[in-house]
Amino acid sequence: MAKPKAVLFDLDGVIVDTATHHYKAWKALANEMGFDFTEADNERLKGVSRVESLNILLEIGNVEKNDQEKEQLAAQKNEQYVKAISTMDDSEILPGVKEFLQELKQENIPFALGSASKNAPTILKQINLYHDFDAIIDGNSISKAKPDPEVFLQGAEALQVNPEDCVVFEDAQSGIEAGKAAGMYVVGVGNPEVLKGADDYITHMTEMSVERITKK
Ligand code: B16
Ligand code: MG
């Protein structure tokens, strides 16, 4: 593509790896309800909203709950998760992220967050990146979860850039689909055999540069 005019980053799995914290909290909840929840099961929750994650968990355990019970269970999971992320620091930023953000700043390319997480601002503050982002679009600002493009379209609008001039970084299938539905160039962070439909793939942000995107 031509030189990007803006970059949109997913949070969990792209900037930091919070999947293990999510996993432990969901597993504790599952165990309390009397069933197990494996790491393979946890893959299904990546990029998925909290409420939808709970629905998947209950489906795995073959457990039925009413809306009020679901609300209470989601709150219980979140309480444990929030406790876990309260000790995070900038050592948990994934390799190459700081350097790439620095390059974007040097090139005057604005960047925003596009995350499904309602805890995104807390995490960004914990890892000292909150003030680096030009806009933060997260689970608190959107009405439709990924794969709906809303989160990334809001990001492009906040940065006043056309969708086709934006690059999205995503580690979840739902997020890749959201980026493509928004009409953006999408870089998948992870295994191309698992993540389908991205325009480019990397394992770590250390492989990324503005030049690499521009040459594609
Ligand atoms: P919360 P992302 C997503 O963040 C996570 O991948 C997903 O596992 C989680 O359920 C979702 O946020 C909601 O998180 O419970 O903190 O609101 O990958 O879109 O940055
Ligand atoms: Mg993610």
Side-chain angles (χ1 to χ4, degrees):
M1 72 180 287
K3 194 170 170 180
K5 293 195 178 135
V7 178
L8 305 169
F9 292 94
D10 173 51
L11 178 63
D12 293 339
V14 170
I15 306 278
V16 278
D17 188 8
T18 44
T20 33
H21 299 307
H22 279 297
Y23 173 59
K24 282 185 191 156
W26 286 124
K27 189 178 166 67
L29 199 66
N31 292 167
E32 215 180 286
M33 289 188 279
F35 63 93
D36 199 19
F37 178 65
T38 66
E39 283 195 53
D41 294 330
N42 194 50
E43 285 302 306
R44 291 178 61 191
L45 308 191
K46 286 190 178 170
V48 175
S49 74
R50 195 181 309 164
V51 177
E52 194 44 38
S53 296
L54 177 63
N55 285 333
I56 295 172
L57 188 88
L58 294 174
E59 183 196 300
I60 290 168
N62 213 358
V63 173
E64 281 201 22
K65 297 284 178 191
N66 64 34
D67 286 352
Q68 202 188 336
E69 289 166 326
K70 282 186 189 176
E71 209 173 292
Q72 191 271 325
L73 289 167
Q76 190 184 328
K77 179 267 171 181
N78 192 52
E79 205 176 302
Q80 178 167 343
Y81 178 69
V82 167
K83 209 179 274 175
I85 59 175
S86 70
T87 55
M88 281 179 88
D89 61 30
D90 60 1
S91 67
E92 290 188 54
I93 298 174
L94 289 169
V97 169
K98 274 190 182 170
E99 292 77 2
F100 185 52
L101 296 184
Q102 201 54 43
E103 188 191 355
L104 293 176
K105 282 189 181 181
Q106 272 158 12
E107 298 265 352
N108 284 320
I109 299 173
F111 53 88
L113 194 81
S115 166
S117 175
K118 292 187 173 169
N119 293 299
T122 310
I123 296 170
L124 286 182
K125 282 175 194 160
Q126 286 289 138
I127 60 174
N128 255 324
L129 285 182
Y130 185 77
H131 296 290
D132 292 80
F133 282 81
D134 297 291
I136 294 172
I137 316 295
D138 60 27
N140 303 295
S141 20
I142 54 169
S143 57
K144 286 173 248 142
K146 300 168 188 176
D148 191 281
E150 184 186 12
V151 66
F152 295 129
L153 290 174
Q154 274 198 31
E157 205 180 310
L159 300 177
Q160 294 180 303
V161 172
N162 289 330
E164 61 268 27
D165 295 320
C166 294
V167 175
V168 168
F169 286 89
E170 256 296 346
D171 74 312
Q173 188 60 42
S174 59
I176 289 178
E177 287 165 21
K180 289 315 294 174
M184 299 175 180
Y185 181 89
V186 179
V187 181
V189 182
N191 185 347
E193 312 228 321
V194 181
L195 298 175
K196 305 284 179 203
D199 299 291
D200 190 12
Y201 292 91
I202 54 170
T203 311
H204 294 113
M205 205 59 84
T206 45
E207 296 155 49
M208 197 29 73
S209 64
V210 174
E211 193 189 5
R212 173 168 171 156
I213 299 166
T214 312
K215 275 189 174 166
K216 283 272 174 175

